[in-house]
């Protein structure tokens, strides 16, 4: 049960948030141009890292805003929180 | 006073007698007793039977580690509770306790026969034996095992107690109210930090509070007297909250902790009712100081489980804290100095005591103290056997060989009525590891100690591996000062004198003359696993501690191996010839001690179990005898029986009325999302499969929403209210998820779109009127409105006013009938509904529920997302190709519609089914096959919706069948338990394929 520093609301309990999986997977602009394999890569393939992972989170029971978060999945340490559209921090 | 209550103490009020029963017999104890101390004061040791062999077992400890004294309390009442440790129950008037796991009675136990056949019940016995013959498990083995091995009885009545949850924030949380916890709390609170101290016992002080031995001196006072002063000072501090009877259940990451407070468990029965029983504290602490203490280890030797064999420090606590002697003729069997404190206490109270020590000597002051008193000590010796069935009567001891691996010389038999054992101490590192902390193994005294890496918590006192009073006090002060950044401590001149242990020795499994396979050296008392079982598991190839644990069930009982884990590890290490530190430990999982379900659930019971959502028309439904169906959190009218109608009769009547004249449905629960912004049309283009740009203002359109994988996700009608304004409806159950998904795309993929989403589900109530007479009813309700097909065509909307209130009328249909939906602000929902009923009276307007609604739409072949789809259906599978735009460049899920998997022709596809016997109704979910004789039977699909249609007077069904699109007219079978139903694949639109009724 970690504490997340929502970029819009501040520190809130984890129970207010939901995780949306790996971050920085951009929806292809021209899906119809993609082969089955390329589309499957976008659609299905996700990393599940033991260690530092870039994730999407949503303040579902709060401001409903999506943002990105850098979390170490092995100890839940949060290294950074940043808004959608911002560049991921270099760690 | 009873024979065993040998002295008065400040902790037990011997002027206040309490009566209680144990196994039906009445006994007396005093205020301040636990059930265990009261039983012992009456000379009762035998309190239960062991799990597998049903051996007689007695109280072995005085705390939460107790594996034997497990009781059922207040049996046959609504307050009954199984698996309660007698060592933790504070005695109260009227308490009724009974032993568990013994049938028919404690002293005559039929399962005890297992004890004599125990050579045939080795580790893994259950896995090995009860495998065959197969049919025996259900009828013979399982009932037998359950009857003889039960761990108490579950309550059969609803729990009458009230439980509570509370959130708390603090600067410093101190876990444990022993000497190190008290010092820590004082340091924190005196330095202006909001501090909470929790202690699971009813008073603070841990084991120092009854330490009156002259070898332990703080600031020239006996350590217990010094501590009593400290506690009274502590109670004056403003910044400090002390919570006794509060035990830590879990220590999660980010210093989030759960603690359970017992509020009324110790009160007499008549005072328990009506007040909160337990409260679960959810604490977020800036910093945590763990001062959880240590648990004494038993020793592992042959027959080490008889009643009367008790941990040495527990003997001391019963004596010095409760004034109860566990025996009058005691022997102490130890490998360390701490048990000598027990010996000195016993001797000073005039009680006979002898000591057996596996070490060759010890030169500490406490041992010298015992020697000066003239207590007999058998050095370098071990107990090899014990005697006495229901209570220990005597022991046999032998000398140890030089290296301790064997025994030598003659057996020496000594009589006793209590054997106090001590195998050293195990730091309670559970909290530390639960929070993610790691452990180091310390070879010198063979303990796991916390390796401090955490930034926001520390361990102090004996849970940190500090066992001697001086290091406990001084290390605690230093560590806490550093941790909390404190300079001023008030303890700078503290002086501590204590006995120091110099000679250390440990043997995990003590040697014996008897062959190992024939000994019963218990490791886990509750699950009856022995050293022999561990060795067998190793011989059979188990290597990992986690595997050995599961195979032998060591450490898997309700005490979670508090007394047994270290010995299991030690014996594995010795047998396998590896260093103990390299084995690692088993994982300590929360809760530290079992939690009641009540405390976990808190107030979320009964009507607070879940949110119940009701429409504004709910009261009317109740008054009109509606039976309700749960749809998500919503209560929806299911059907409205009249007189003695059953479900089927009511649904048939409602469905027929809706097509013959008029029906009315409360459609308020459908999800409604208000969409505004200059890019609203473009947004809808991207989220629905069909095109939206050309939808005129005032028009409605049905939309199908996919997931990116091409599977149908939701559907509903969306209305264009204005240039940049739409109202989307979703399925009742899908509303929240659809909004979540749309927000996700909007915020993360298409932030450039100017679109705003607002959930308005609860803002509007909806009455849906359908049937050939619906237009006439609408005319009555809105006399000034032109309802001609030209002025108000199908799939359009108009604003209107009823009783001066604005509303919206949509001409849309989910039944295939001419149909209007009226949306009005929720607070006017009921009055609108009543107006509709009144206006419809002359046409016998019939309220219909969700079941009739489902039936009507199935006649028309409309799908229900979630009933006819299951997340694996594309629009093409549903034969809804017409709604998938070929022109649009992209929409959510488009690319997935021509993946190699989604274009397979043998995918399950939506079809209609008619039964050869028109009165036979298929079961929803029933499997469909094409060949009855083929083995194995090949399932080619299943029934998704099935009804008897009163309008067609035959049974109809929707189904998904592999390659179903091309199977029209084909005969298939639906095999049921005792018959095969013949069906024919048909069109899934059963009624009015030409859409005449919608325009009637
Ligand atoms: Zn927020």
């Amino acid at each position: 049960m970690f504490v997340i520093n929502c970029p819009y609301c501040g520190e809130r309990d984890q129970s207010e948030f939901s995780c949306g999986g790996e971050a920085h997977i951009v929806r292809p602009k021209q899906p119809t141009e993609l082969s089955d394999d390329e589309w499957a890569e976008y659609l299905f393939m996700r990393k599940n890292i033991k260690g530092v992972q870039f994730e999407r989170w949503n303040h579902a029971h709060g401001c409903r805003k999506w943002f990105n978060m850098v979390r170490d999945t092995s100890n839940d340490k949060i290294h950074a929180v940043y808004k959608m559209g911002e560049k991921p921090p270099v760690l | 006073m009873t024979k065993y209550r040998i002295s008065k103490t400040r902790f037990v009020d011997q002027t206040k007698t309490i009566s209680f029963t144990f196994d039906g017999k009445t006994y007396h104890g005093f205020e301040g007793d636990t059930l265990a101390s009261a039983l012992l004061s009456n000379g009762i040791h035998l309190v239960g039977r062991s799990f597998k062999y049903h051996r007689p077992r007695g109280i072995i400890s005085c705390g939460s580690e107790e594996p034997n004294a497990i009781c059922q309390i207040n049996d046959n009442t609504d307050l009954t509770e199984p698996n309660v440790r007698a060592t933790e129950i504070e005695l109260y008037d009227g308490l009724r306790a009974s032993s568990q796991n013994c049938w028919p009675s404690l002293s005559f136990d039929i399962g005890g026969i297992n004890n004599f056949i125990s050579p045939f019940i080795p580790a893994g016995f259950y896995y090995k034996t009860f495998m065959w013959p197969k049919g025996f498990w259900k009828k013979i083995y399982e009932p037998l095992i359950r009857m003889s091995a039960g761990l108490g009885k579950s309550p059969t009545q609803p729990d009458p107690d009230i439980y509570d949850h509370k959130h708390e924030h603090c600067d410093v949380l101190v876990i444990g109210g022993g000497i190190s916890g008290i010092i820590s709390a004082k340091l924190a609170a005196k330095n202006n930090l909001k501090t909470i101290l929790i202690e699971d016992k009813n008073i603070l002080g841990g084991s120092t509070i009854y330490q009156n031995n002259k070898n332990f001196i703080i600031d020239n006072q006996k350590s217990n007297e010094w501590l009593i002063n400290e506690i009274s000072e502590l109670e004056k501090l403003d910044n400090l909250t002390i919570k006794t009877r509060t035990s830590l259940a879990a220590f999660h990451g980010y210093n989030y902790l759960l603690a359970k407070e017992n509020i009324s468990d110790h009160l007499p029965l008549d005072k328990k009712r009506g007040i909160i029983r337990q409260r679960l504290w959810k604490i977020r602490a800036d910093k945590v100081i763990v001062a959880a203490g240590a648990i004494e280890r038993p020793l592992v030797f042959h027959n080490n489980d008889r009643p009367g064999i008790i941990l040495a420090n527990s003997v001391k606590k019963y004596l010095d804290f409760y004034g109860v002697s566990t025996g009058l003729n005691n022997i102490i069997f130890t490998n360390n100095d701490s048990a000598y404190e027990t010996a000195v206490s016993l001797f000073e109270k005039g009680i006979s005591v002898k000591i057996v020590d596996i070490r060759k000597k010890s030169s500490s002051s406490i041992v010298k103290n015992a020697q000066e008193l003239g207590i007999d000590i058998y050095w370098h010796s071990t107990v090899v056997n014990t005697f006495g069935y229901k209570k220990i009567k005597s022991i046999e001891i032998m000398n140890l060989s030089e290296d301790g691996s064997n025994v030598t010389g003659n057996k020496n038999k000594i009589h006793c009525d209590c054997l106090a054992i001590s195998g050293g101490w195990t730091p309670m590192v559970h909290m530390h590891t639960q929070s993610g902390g790691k452990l180091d193994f310390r070879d010198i005294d063979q303990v796991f100690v916390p390796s401090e890496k955490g930034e926001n918590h520390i361990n102090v006192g004996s849970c940190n591996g500090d066992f001697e009073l001086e290091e406990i006090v001084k290390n605690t002060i230093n560590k806490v000062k550093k941790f909390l950044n404190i300079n001023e401590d008030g303890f700078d001149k503290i002086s501590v004198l204590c006995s120091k242990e110099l000679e250390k020795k440990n043997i995990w499994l003590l040697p014996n003359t008897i062959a190992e396979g024939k000994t019963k050296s218990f490791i886990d008392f509750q699950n009856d696993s022995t050293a022999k079982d561990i060795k067998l598991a190793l011989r059979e190839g188990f290597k990992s501690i986690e595997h050995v644990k599961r195979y032998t069930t060591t450490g898997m009982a309700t005490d979670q191996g508090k007394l047994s884990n270290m010995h299991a590890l030690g014996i594995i290490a010795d047998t396998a010839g590896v260093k103990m530190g390299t084995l690692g430990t088993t994982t300590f999982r929360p809760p530290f001690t079992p939690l009641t379900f009540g405390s976990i659930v808190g107030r979320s019971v009964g009507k607070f179990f879940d949110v119940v959502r009701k429409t504004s028309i709910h009261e009317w439904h109740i008054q009109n005898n509606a039976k309700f169906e749960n749809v998500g959190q919503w209560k929806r009218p299911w059907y409205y029986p009249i007189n003695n109608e059953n479900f089927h009769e009511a649904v048939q009547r409602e469905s027929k009325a809706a097509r013959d004249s008029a029906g009315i449905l409360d459609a308020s629960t459908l999800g409604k999302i208000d969409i505004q912004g200059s890019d609203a049309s473009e947004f809808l283009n991207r989220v629905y499969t069909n095109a939206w740009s050309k939808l005129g203002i005032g028009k409605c359109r049905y939309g199908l929403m996919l997931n990116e994988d091409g599977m149908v996700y939701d559907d509903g009608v969306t209305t264009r209210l204005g240039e940049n304004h739409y109202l989307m409806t979703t399925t009742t159950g899908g509303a929240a998820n659809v909004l979540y998904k749309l927000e996700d795309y909007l915020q993360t993929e298409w932030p450039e779109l100017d679109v705003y989403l607002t959930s308005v589900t609860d803002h509007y109530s909806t009455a849906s009127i359908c049937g050939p007479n619906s237009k006439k009813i609408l005319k009555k309700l809105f006399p000034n409105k032109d309802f001609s097909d030209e002025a108000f065509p199908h799939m359009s909307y108009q604003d209107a006013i009823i009783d001066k209130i604005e509303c919206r009328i949509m001409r849309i249909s989910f039944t295939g009938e001419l149909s209007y939906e009226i949306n009005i602000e929720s607070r006017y929902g009921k009055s609108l509904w009543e107006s509709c009923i009144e206006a419809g009276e002359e046409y016998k307007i019939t309220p219909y529920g969700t079941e009739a609604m489902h039936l009507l739409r199935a006649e028309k072949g409309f799908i229900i997302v979630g009933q006819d789809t299951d997340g694996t259906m594309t629009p093409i599978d549903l034969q809804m190709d017409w709604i998938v735009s070929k022109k649009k460049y992209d929409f959510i899920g488009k690319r997935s519609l021509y993946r190699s998997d989604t274009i397979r022709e043998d995918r399950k596809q939506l079809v209609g089914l008619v039964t050869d016997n028109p009165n036979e109704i298929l079961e929803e979910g029933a499997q469909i096959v094409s060949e009855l004789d083929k083995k194995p039977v090949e399932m080619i699909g299943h029934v998704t919706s099935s009804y008897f249609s009163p309008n067609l007077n035959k049974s109809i069904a929707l189904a998904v069948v592999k390659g179903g699109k091309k199977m029209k007219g084909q005969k298939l079978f639906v095999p049921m338990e005792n018959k095969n139903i013949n069906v024919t694949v048909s069109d899934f639109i059963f009624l009015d394929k030409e859409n005449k009724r919608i325009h009637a």
Side-chain angles (χ1 to χ4, degrees), chain B residues 731-845:
Chain B
T731 57
T732 297
N737 292 334
V738 169
L739 181 67
Y740 182 80
K741 176 185 154 105
L742 297 184
E743 276 286 355
D744 187 353
Y745 275 92
L746 207 49
Q747 290 181 34
T748 67
E749 299 293 350
W750 309 319
E752 72 281 6
L753 293 186
D754 175 40
V755 177
Y756 301 90
L757 306 174
T758 310
S759 167
V760 292
T761 304
D762 297 86
H763 300 48
Y764 300 103
S765 287
T766 306
S768 173
I769 301 174
C770 80
N773 287 319
S774 58
K775 192 179 281 184
K776 292 172 197 156
I777 296 169
L778 267 284
K779 270 186 190 150
K780 282 179 74 180
L781 288 165
F782 304 95
N784 300 326
K785 218 164 215 357
D786 181 357
F787 284 98
S788 68
D789 282 355
E790 298 71 42
F792 201 155
H794 182 55
M795 296 310 267
S796 66
Y797 118 89
Q798 292 190 16
D799 287 322
I801 292 196
I802 184 165
D803 293 336
K804 297 180 188 162
I805 307 301
E806 289 177 0
C807 61
R808 293 174 181 144
I809 306 171
M810 279 92 169
R811 184 173 163 188
I812 53 177
S813 176
F814 189 44
T815 58
E817 291 300 314
L818 175 65
S819 175
Y820 298 88
E821 290 193 7
I822 311 169
N823 274 10
I824 198 162
E825 262 187 65
S826 279
R827 60 181 135 163
Y828 305 114
K830 187 156 167 266
S831 96
L832 168 72
W833 179 272
E834 282 164 350
S835 301
C836 295
I837 296 284
E838 199 187 318
E841 208 173 348
E842 64 177 290
Y843 303 102
K844 293 202 169 59
I845 192 167

Side-chain angles (χ1 to χ4, degrees), chain A residues 1-3 13 18 27 30-36 39 42-43 56 58 64-66 76-78, chain B residues 253-254 256 284 708-709 739-740 743-744 747-749 757 889-892 895-896 898-900:
Chain A
M1 285 290 274
F2 31 102
V3 173
D13 200 282
S18 62
R27 188 173 188 273
Q30 298 173 316
T32 47
E33 318 276 301
L34 302 182
S35 69
D36 268 13
W39 179 245
Y42 160 72
L43 194 56
R56 288 153 23 94
N58 181 243
R64 297 203 336 226
K65 283 283 193 185
W66 283 90
D76 286 338
K77 198 172 162 152
I78 297 168
Chain B
Y254 284 67
Y256 180 71
R284 187 73 79 171
E708 205 68 272
D709 62 5
L739 181 67
Y740 182 80
E743 276 286 355
D744 187 353
Q747 290 181 34
T748 67
E749 299 293 350
L757 306 174
Y889 183 69
D890 191 17
F891 55 82
I892 295 171
R895 175 60 185 86
S896 289
Y898 53 95
R899 290 177 53 235
S900 59

Side-chain angles (χ1 to χ4, degrees), chain B residues 158-283:
Chain B
D159 190 339
D161 284 316
I162 304 165
Y163 300 85
D164 197 33
H165 285 179
K166 215 163 175 178
H167 291 268
E168 183 70 279
H169 292 80
C170 62
D171 295 323
V172 180
L173 176 71
V174 181
I175 304 163
I179 186 166
S180 50
I182 286 167
I183 292 171
S184 306
K186 190 176 173 189
L187 282 168
K190 277 200 133 181
N191 282 278
N192 229 6
L193 295 166
K194 185 187 169 191
T195 306
I196 299 174
L197 170 64
I198 62 170
E199 160 60 41
D200 67 340
K201 299 280 187 306
N202 57 337
I203 60 162
L204 298 180
S207 59
T208 309
I209 198 83
Y210 56 90
Q211 176 59 284
N212 55 12
N213 189 288
K214 64 175 187 189
N215 293 286
F216 301 88
I217 302 294
I218 305 176
D219 286 348
N220 303 318
Q221 300 171 71
K222 280 185 178 173
S223 56
N224 62 332
E225 286 160 11
W226 180 86
L227 193 63
I228 286 162
N229 285 334
E230 284 295 306
I231 292 170
S232 60
E233 268 190 57
L234 209 59
E235 282 159 357
K236 293 175 203 151
L237 296 175
D238 289 337
N239 278 334
L240 178 66
T241 309
I242 300 171
K243 291 187 196 302
T244 53
R245 296 192 176 100
T246 304
S247 53
L248 196 85
F251 187 168
H252 296 295
Y254 284 67
N255 281 355
Y256 180 71
L257 302 100
L258 300 176
K260 183 196 70 175
E261 181 182 12
N262 283 333
I263 296 172
S264 72
D265 275 344
H266 63 290
L267 298 177
L269 286 175
D270 57 329
K271 295 209 172 112
K272 284 184 199 293
R273 300 272 178 180
I275 61 169
I276 293 167
R277 181 191 171 198
Q278 295 172 345
R279 175 175 285 143
L280 194 68
W281 289 91
K282 302 176 172 187
I283 306 167

Side-chain angles (χ1 to χ4, degrees), chain B residues 3-11 14 210-213 222 224 315-328 330 341-353 373 375:
Chain B
K3 186 171 154 194
Y4 296 93
R5 182 84 63 175
I6 53 109
S7 63
K8 289 199 159 68
T9 70
R10 57 181 286 145
F11 310 107
Q14 296 194 11
Y210 56 90
Q211 176 59 284
N212 55 12
N213 189 288
K222 280 185 178 173
N224 62 332
V315 170
K316 184 170 189 290
K317 179 161 188 185
Y318 286 120
L319 188 66
D320 292 339
F321 190 95
Y322 299 104
V324 174
S325 181
T326 49
L328 301 177
N330 300 278
E341 298 166 28
T342 307
V344 170
S345 271
L346 285 163
F347 187 90
E348 284 174 345
K349 296 198 171 57
I351 301 166
S352 159
V353 60
L373 293 171
I375 298 171

Side-chain angles (χ1 to χ4, degrees), chain A:
Chain A
M1 285 290 274
F2 31 102
V3 173
I4 296 173
N5 192 3
C6 170
Y8 303 92
C9 308
E11 288 195 339
R12 294 289 189 281
D13 200 282
Q14 184 196 339
S15 60
E16 294 184 14
F17 297 84
S18 62
C19 181
E22 191 182 340
H24 302 297
I25 293 175
V26 181
R27 188 173 188 273
K29 286 273 175 278
Q30 298 173 316
T32 47
E33 318 276 301
L34 302 182
S35 69
D36 268 13
D37 283 351
E38 286 164 336
W39 179 245
E41 183 68 30
Y42 160 72
L43 194 56
F44 300 122
M45 304 315 264
R46 296 292 181 272
K47 288 181 196 135
N48 188 13
I49 298 165
K50 183 183 180 184
V52 174
Q53 179 161 290
F54 291 70
E55 297 172 333
R56 288 153 23 94
W57 282 78
N58 181 243
H59 195 182
H61 299 279
C63 62
R64 297 203 336 226
K65 283 283 193 185
W66 283 90
F67 57 90
N68 289 320
M69 193 162 113
V70 187
R71 179 175 68 109
D72 188 327
T73 59
S74 67
N75 58 15
D76 286 338
K77 198 172 162 152
I78 297 168
H79 294 286
V81 173
Y82 54 103
K83 290 179 182 174
M84 281 293 160
E86 288 177 6
K87 280 218 162 80
V90 184
L91 295 172

Side-chain angles (χ1 to χ4, degrees), chain B residues 37 106 887:
Chain B
S37 69
L106 181 59
K887 289 183 196 148

Side-chain angles (χ1 to χ4, degrees), chain B residues 356-597:
Chain B
V356 179
D357 195 324
I358 71 166
R359 298 173 298 175
K360 286 179 179 168
K361 68 176 177 93
S362 175
S363 44
S364 65
S365 58
I366 183 75
V367 173
K368 280 201 186 99
N369 186 186
Q371 284 170 322
E372 282 160 16
L373 293 171
I375 298 171
D376 288 342
I377 304 172
Y378 301 87
W379 292 107
H380 206 217
S381 299
T382 180
V383 177
V384 292
N385 205 352
T386 66
F387 304 91
Y389 185 58
K390 288 179 190 167
K391 190 171 173 196
I392 193 163
K393 284 184 182 139
S394 61
I395 62 166
E396 278 178 350
I397 66 167
M398 288 179 81
N399 284 323
L400 283 165
S401 66
E402 186 58 28
D403 64 353
S405 68
N406 220 325
V407 281
T408 61
N410 296 325
K411 284 177 185 160
N412 182 1
K413 193 161 190 162
I414 315 174
H415 290 276
C416 64
D417 63 353
C418 176
L419 178 66
I421 54 176
S422 177
W425 294 83
T426 299
M428 286 291 91
V429 294
H430 298 63
M431 311 305 166
H432 175 74
T433 56
Q434 274 184 27
S435 79
K438 300 276 179 283
L439 301 174
D440 294 327
F441 189 69
R442 193 165 76 190
D443 273 314
I444 181 157
D445 51 357
Q446 314 215 318
V447 293
F448 283 100
V449 290
S451 65
E452 300 286 4
K453 294 240 168 57
E455 293 159 28
N456 293 318
H457 86 266
I458 53 167
N459 299 272
V460 296
S462 56
C463 75
N464 194 41
D466 292 346
F467 293 133
E468 280 162 8
L469 187 65
E470 187 178 359
E471 59 181 12
I472 288 173
V473 171
K474 294 196 167 160
N475 290 353
T476 298
I477 294 167
N478 291 334
K479 271 188 96 168
V480 170
K481 274 170 71 179
K482 201 170 150 207
F483 181 55
L484 301 180
N485 258 324
I486 293 172
N487 298 318
E488 203 51 46
D489 63 31
F491 286 120
D492 48 342
K493 290 193 185 94
I494 196 161
S495 77
V496 184
L497 292 174
C498 68
S499 173
K500 299 201 172 174
E501 184 174 273
L502 299 170
E503 289 80 5
K504 294 184 195 294
K505 185 176 181 68
N506 183 43
I507 302 172
W508 290 113
L509 173 59
L510 290 154
N512 209 304
T513 51
I514 308 169
E516 209 160 71
K518 297 211 163 87
T519 59
K520 285 213 186 66
S521 310
F522 286 91
I523 294 175
D524 185 322
F525 293 90
Q526 205 177 359
N527 267 354
D528 258 358
S529 58
T530 63
K532 177 173 79 182
D533 294 327
I534 302 255
K535 295 200 169 186
L536 177 67
L538 291 169
R539 280 204 301 281
E540 292 188 357
F542 292 94
K543 289 195 176 78
S544 148
I545 172 69
E546 295 286 1
H547 291 156
V548 172
K549 175 179 157 175
R550 278 157 184 81
Y551 192 56
T552 62
T553 72
T554 303
M556 305 270 288
T558 61
D559 60 341
Q560 293 190 54
K562 292 188 179 77
L563 293 183
S564 58
N565 282 338
M566 290 303 290
H567 296 85
L569 275 173
I571 290 168
I572 293 169
D574 286 352
T575 309
V578 297
K579 285 203 148 216
M580 200 165 153
T582 63
L583 285 173
T585 57
T586 58
T587 313
F588 301 113
R589 291 192 177 83
F592 178 65
T593 49
L595 286 175
T596 56
F597 281 112

